[in-house]
Amino acid sequence: MASSESRYSPTSLEPKWQQRWQELGLDQTPEPSAERAENFYALSMFPYPSGNLHMGHVRNYVITDVIARLMRLKGKRVLHPMGWDAFGLPAENAAIERGVDPADWTDRNIAQMREQLQRANEQVDADGRSWRSGALVEKRKLRQWFLKITAVADELLDDLEQLKGWPERVRTMQANWIGRSSGATLRFAIEADGKQAIEVFTTRPDTVFGVSYVVLAPEHDLVDQLTSADQRQAVEAFRQSLQSISEQDRVADDRPKRGVATGGTVQHPFTGQAVPVWIADYVLPDYGTGAVMGVPAHDSRDFAFAKQYDLPITTVVVEPGQAPDSGEPSEAFTGLGELVGSAEFDGLQGEEAKTAIIQAAEQRGVGAAKITFRLRDWLISRQRYWGCPIPVIHCDDCGVVPVPESDLPVELPRDVDLSGSGGSPLERATEWKQVLCPKCGKPATRETDTMDTFMCSSWYYLRYTDASNDTAPFSPASIDAWMPVDQYVGGVEHAILHLLYSRFFTKVLQQRKLVSCSEPFQNLLTQGMVQGVTYRNPKTRKYIAPSAVSDASQPTDPDDGEALEVFFEKMSKSKYNGVDPGAVVDRYGADTARMFILFKAPPEKDLEWDDADVEGQFRFLQRIWRLCDGAKASGLQLQSPLPLPAELTPAETDLRRAVHTAIEAVSDDLQGDELQFNTAVSELMKLSNAMGGQLDAVSAPVAQEAVRSLLLLLAPFAPHLADELWEQLQGSGSIHQQRWPDVDASALVRDTITVVLQVKGKVRGNLEVPAAISKDELEQVALASDVAKKWLEGNAPKRVIVVPGKLVNLVP
């Protein structure tokens, strides 16, 4: 093939094609088809506008971009939008630190991140500290706004079965978060007349006769009433000790469970005996009834608590037919079994025992069957400035009054005092806060709480379908055309809150006949994190920037000479292990960055950034450039497809098989339940290798088909390079206006196949045989082969195992 002097220069060709795509309108969403199946909605979780993209962002958006480009090549009308998660506490904190308005800071960052993208085509920490100041959070009772997500808890749980295109672990996480439990509520009376009682919910009513104590959340309303005078000081001290501990830590499995006796007692609902009441950190006020019956013999957590505080442990469930052990058990028996020590219920087993005790509790008025959920209603109130205003007015005479529709949206006041202390700045925005009541016209005040950040992200996918509509959030026609989202891509860290709230919004809107779908996202891909090489001093635990490491083969701390730990960890500014996407694009181009991100690891796995592998992808794109450059020098053009010859040479047959094998494999990798971009890139490498040195050995039509197919398969991955080479080879229009290649099944048919020959269970050689060979014929060929004669040493095998098309195993 003729040589060429042209050179692959991504820094010059990529801006050219970005401008060309805008001129061609390829960055615009087409009008959707009336047939939903002809439309495709690809969406990435939108970014928080911090001002800088990191490689985690890039991975997310590249994945979605590949899918969107593929679907356009397949003839779909594609909606692939981008927006910004503008509201939130981080923006307000940044504004406080910099002395700027949050809106100005956000707008500036959006502009910066938009430029980067065009090139690369709950609010308290777990340790109970504020994001803003680092101070320990103090818990107070406030009047706040909630959304009643529990009203659709059953639908949220049951409809997870519909989400076959979601990762199983995400569905499991949501199911666990919703936490539907079937059991019973039981009443432990406080007074003899039974009018006042502690209600507990239990999934194991069959263990009620093993109750040794009742535990209340320290925040429970009845704690003060039940606490005796001599225990009041201990109870108050214990309550205070929990103020700085998060609920997550309180219920963590590896944390010792602590408690204090209140000195009060309640009556057992079946025996009438006095049961001591405790408070403990592991019981939360907002879960269940805020009260738990302690059954240490049949609950591991209760067992540990009872052992720690020397409380009775009474066995009331055993394996069927087994007598209870004399004395205290060594561990809790948590399974279902046969009741013992349970009065008239002795001998009942499992679910039968549960049902009988629930029925008896209902008859005696001390309990009832009940289904509960771990899911709590969604608290949306935030005492901060930078959030969506809650459109409510408070009037002394009329109470809570909605802002009239004609006055929506409520806009935040500008130039407020963002001191970072003293409550919400909106409380001090007097002119904005003081209004007239829409009902009676008397002086009133606006609600100064703003909405949770998740409110916006819970419906933005709906707004994107009709983003220019200035009279409504969206039209029914736009929802019918685009929803649900065909492919959603984002981090698994949003598996519960964002994804659950989005499902909640969709279901509520469907109930009100505002949207036609019951689920927002048909398919979900949760991409892994991008990790960078990280250096840390093992003694000081201080992270060291790579630029400060003089010898990467033997890295040491420049301050004290200590040998550094070297490992991969999620990219972070604090760990100095981030990689600037702009620097990578400046050096290698956006296409190389895309190829590396897609090739390095399966999309759901974490990706370890490696400069050497980035360089490898750059070299691969250079090989494709040289391949097409040589084809161009030989006169090959892609403008008009040439008819294939009636008879193909062996070289042409082999090349067409490689081409259509790649088309089939790449198409399979980019569709279905498991998207495998890394293996798709591998197939492109195989195809380019098969083409190297072969284009001169085949006719022009076969060479043209090969080059055309290679560039079309490459287009979603390296869109700039593919379009440049398409243009250089006289292809019509943009490559992104073409159609994805179809597989020619006849090209995949092989005249011969390679079969593995095993002797004594080990591979001894291969057999090249006709593809249509029968099982008996294959056995005879194997027995007659030189390999068989050598390893069998003239002896007939005792057994011959034939797997047609794959192997023959000769067992001596």
Side-chain angles (χ1 to χ4, degrees):
M1 186 167 286
S3 62
S4 173
E5 297 299 324
S6 68
R7 177 175 168 269
Y8 172 43
S9 176
T11 54
S12 60
L13 72 86
E14 289 181 357
K16 162 191 168 181
W17 282 105
Q18 289 159 18
Q19 180 178 348
R20 183 78 60 83
W21 294 336
Q22 288 186 350
E23 294 169 355
L24 293 172
L26 295 182
D27 59 338
Q28 301 297 312
T29 303
E31 287 297 317
S33 169
E35 295 294 328
R36 175 63 182 89
E38 296 177 7
N39 306 325
F40 192 90
Y41 189 173
L43 181 63
S44 294
M45 292 183 185
F46 61 10
Y48 165 71
S50 64
N52 290 292
L53 289 176
H54 55 68
M55 281 299 172
H57 287 125
V58 174
R59 191 181 194 193
N60 185 339
Y61 309 134
V62 165
I63 288 172
T64 316
D65 187 68
V66 169
I67 295 168
R69 290 178 183 277
L70 169 73
M71 290 303 165
R72 182 163 56 190
L73 287 167
K74 284 182 167 287
K76 301 275 190 178
R77 303 184 189 195
V78 177
L79 171 62
H80 181 207
M82 173 54 69
W84 313 94
D85 191 5
F87 280 135
L89 190 57
E92 188 167 327
N93 286 345
I96 293 171
E97 292 169 7
R98 295 165 175 80
V100 298
D101 187 283
D104 294 337
W105 187 84
T106 301
D107 287 342
R108 186 166 66 243
N109 287 342
I110 287 174
Q112 180 175 333
M113 292 178 75
R114 180 181 287 114
E115 181 180 352
Q116 288 179 287
L117 280 173
Q118 288 171 343
R119 295 189 71 201
N121 228 27
E122 285 292 353
Q123 285 83 1
V124 173
D125 286 341
D127 64 355
R129 294 184 179 272
S130 166
W131 284 10
R132 172 175 288 160
S133 65
L136 290 173
V137 173
E138 179 184 351
K139 299 174 185 175
R140 295 179 180 176
K141 290 187 176 181
L142 301 172
R143 291 178 60 85
Q144 301 189 89
W145 292 92
F146 292 79
L147 295 186
K148 198 170 182 58
I149 190 172
T150 53
V152 293
D154 279 315
E155 294 94 322
L156 288 169
L157 182 62
D158 294 340
D159 289 355
L160 287 171
E161 289 299 315
Q162 300 178 19
L163 302 178
K164 303 301 184 185
W166 284 38
E168 182 61 32
R169 68 167 176 158
V170 174
R171 294 195 292 166
T172 299
M173 290 167 72
Q174 288 213 358
N176 292 339
W177 187 261
I178 297 167
R180 183 167 62 195
S181 300
S182 298
T185 55
L186 297 173
R187 290 171 55 85
F188 289 75
I190 294 175
E191 300 171 351
D193 59 14
K195 289 183 178 179
Q196 199 170 20
I198 293 175
E199 276 201 352
V200 303
F201 171 79
T202 178
T203 60
R204 294 295 304 274
D206 55 320
T207 66
V208 68
F209 284 87
V211 172
S212 299
Y213 55 94
V214 169
V215 186
L216 297 180
E219 302 88 348
H220 198 286
D221 292 338
L222 293 175
V223 171
D224 289 338
Q225 179 180 338
L226 285 162
T227 300
S228 62
D230 60 336
Q231 283 295 106
R232 191 162 302 281
Q233 185 175 354
V235 166
E236 285 304 314
F238 185 74
R239 281 170 151 178
Q240 288 297 319
S241 72
L242 297 180
Q243 289 295 312
S244 62
I245 302 176
S246 69
E247 291 188 351
Q248 292 94 328
D249 282 343
R250 280 172 58 172
V251 298
D253 290 336
D254 58 352
R255 185 185 181 90
K257 305 300 180 276
R258 301 185 303 123
V260 171
T262 66
T265 62
V266 290
Q267 294 178 1
H268 192 285
F270 284 90
T271 69
Q273 295 178 345
V275 177
V277 178
W278 285 62
I279 60 173
D281 56 3
Y282 67 85
V283 183
L284 303 180
D286 297 326
Y287 184 67
T289 63
V292 172
M293 64 183 204
V295 188
H298 304 293
D299 182 277
S300 298
R301 182 184 58 185
D302 294 345
F303 184 87
F305 190 80
K307 294 290 286 185
Q308 182 173 349
Y309 293 103
D310 197 24
L311 296 168
I313 301 176
T314 305
T315 297
V316 293
V317 181
V318 296
E319 292 282 0
Q322 175 183 322
D325 293 333
S326 58
E328 194 173 275
S330 59
E331 62 181 356
F333 172 61
T334 59
L336 296 177
E338 181 178 330
L339 299 195
V340 296
S342 300
E344 69 267 30
F345 304 102
D346 281 359
L348 296 180
Q349 297 182 15
E351 296 299 328
E352 179 189 16
K354 288 184 181 182
T355 301
I357 288 180
I358 292 174
Q359 289 175 347
E362 291 175 340
Q363 292 168 2
R364 301 178 191 188
V366 295
K370 188 173 183 179
I371 295 175
T372 66
F373 293 86
R374 181 179 183 271
L375 182 67
R376 303 268 69 85
D377 284 329
W378 177 8
L379 170 64
I380 65 165
S381 287
R382 295 293 181 267
Q383 293 74 47
R384 65 174 186 237
Y385 164 70
W386 191 237
C388 182
I390 296 175
V392 161
I393 292 171
H394 298 277
C395 174
D396 290 340
D397 292 340
C398 304
V400 176
V401 182
V403 172
E405 187 173 342
S406 59
D407 293 341
L408 295 176
V410 177
E411 295 187 5
L412 292 169
R414 301 294 293 267
D415 301 322
V416 297
D417 176 22
L418 290 179
S419 64
S421 61
S424 171
L426 294 178
E427 287 284 356
R428 302 186 294 274
T430 306
E431 185 176 344
W432 177 86
K433 178 182 174 181
Q434 295 180 348
V435 293
L436 297 179
C437 174
K439 264 191 173 182
C440 68
K442 293 181 181 179
T445 59
R446 292 189 188 278
E447 172 62 64
T448 58
D449 279 2
T450 55
M451 295 187 192
D452 180 12
T453 302
F454 285 108
M455 288 290 291
C456 295
S457 62
S458 295
W459 73 280
Y460 73 110
Y461 50 90
L462 299 170
R463 176 61 177 172
Y464 283 165
T465 68
D466 202 7
S468 298
N469 192 331
D470 57 5
T471 61
F474 44 77
S475 67
S478 67
I479 296 299
D480 291 342
W482 294 112
M483 288 296 296
V485 174
D486 293 279
Q487 183 67 63
Y488 198 30
V489 179
V492 74
E493 65 271 19
H494 301 294
I496 296 176
L497 296 184
H498 162 58
L499 290 172
L500 189 66
Y501 293 155
S502 298
R503 297 181 62 221
F504 165 58
F505 260 63
T506 303
K507 291 185 183 302
V508 171
L509 293 173
Q510 186 199 35
Q511 289 175 0
R512 285 155 178 74
K513 303 188 184 305
L514 295 174
V515 302
S516 53
C517 54
S518 63
E519 290 288 343
F521 313 121
Q522 184 171 333
N523 295 289
L524 172 68
L525 188 155
T526 52
Q527 89 279 358
M529 295 179 178
V530 179
Q531 299 181 327
V533 65
T534 308
Y535 298 97
R536 185 175 64 190
N537 187 313
K539 289 186 176 179
T540 65
R541 311 299 289 175
K542 182 180 71 173
Y543 290 93
I544 307 297
S547 58
V549 176
S550 58
D551 184 359
S553 63
Q554 292 182 319
T556 57
D557 189 320
D559 294 330
D560 61 14
E562 182 71 27
L564 298 176
E565 298 174 321
V566 184
F567 52 93
F568 281 93
E569 194 166 359
K570 179 186 175 183
M571 289 185 178
S572 167
K573 288 181 181 179
S574 64
K575 298 177 176 63
Y576 308 106
N577 63 352
V579 174
D580 178 13
V584 177
V585 172
D586 287 341
R587 182 175 180 182
Y588 297 107
D591 283 348
T592 294
R594 292 166 63 101
M595 293 290 286
F596 166 78
I597 284 171
L598 295 166
F599 176 69
K600 178 66 174 179
E604 73 281 2
K605 302 294 185 183
D606 288 347
L607 179 156
E608 295 181 351
W609 187 269
D610 188 325
D611 289 340
D613 288 342
V614 178
E615 181 72 38
Q617 288 302 308
F618 184 61
R619 290 196 299 270
F620 170 56
L621 294 184
Q622 288 176 312
R623 288 200 302 272
I624 291 181
W625 176 277
R626 292 193 296 270
L627 180 70
C628 293
D629 206 29
K632 173 186 172 184
S634 297
L636 187 144
Q637 295 184 1
L638 302 178
Q639 191 167 20
S640 301
L642 300 172
L644 293 170
E647 296 291 334
L648 299 177
T649 66
E652 291 172 338
T653 299
D654 289 344
L655 183 56
R656 290 204 74 233
R657 184 181 301 116
V659 167
H660 289 275
T661 296
I663 294 173
E664 181 179 54
V666 173
S667 299
D668 288 345
D669 286 337
L670 299 187
Q671 296 178 95
D673 294 339
E674 294 187 9
L675 300 175
Q676 298 296 330
F677 305 103
N678 55 320
T679 57
V681 173
S682 295
E683 293 296 334
L684 293 176
M685 294 176 173
K686 292 178 186 177
L687 177 57
S688 66
N689 289 337
M691 291 169 60
Q694 294 297 312
L695 294 184
D696 281 338
V698 299
S699 61
V702 174
Q704 183 195 60
E705 180 190 40
V707 174
R708 179 186 180 89
S709 299
L710 174 63
L711 293 182
L712 285 169
L713 295 178
L714 181 69
F717 300 90
H720 308 85
L721 175 62
D723 229 345
E724 175 68 21
L725 295 175
W726 181 265
E727 180 185 65
Q728 289 187 15
L729 291 168
Q730 306 299 309
S732 60
S734 165
I735 194 170
H736 302 291
Q737 295 172 314
Q738 311 308 310
R739 288 300 176 96
W740 189 252
D742 294 320
V743 176
D744 182 351
S746 66
L748 301 178
V749 176
R750 303 178 65 95
D751 294 331
T752 63
I753 57 175
T754 301
V755 174
V756 173
L757 180 57
Q758 294 182 340
V759 183
K760 299 180 182 179
K762 294 185 178 180
V763 175
R764 304 300 186 182
N766 296 313
L767 301 172
E768 194 73 17
V769 297
I773 193 171
S774 69
K775 186 175 180 179
D776 290 340
E777 290 172 333
L778 180 55
E779 179 178 336
Q780 295 305 313
V781 170
L783 290 171
S785 68
D786 292 338
V787 173
K789 292 175 181 178
K790 173 183 176 181
W791 289 99
L792 292 176
E793 298 176 344
N795 298 317
K798 294 179 181 178
R799 189 179 174 199
V800 179
I801 301 171
V802 178
V803 180
K806 294 186 177 181
L807 67 84
V808 178
N809 186 14
L810 306 179
V811 183

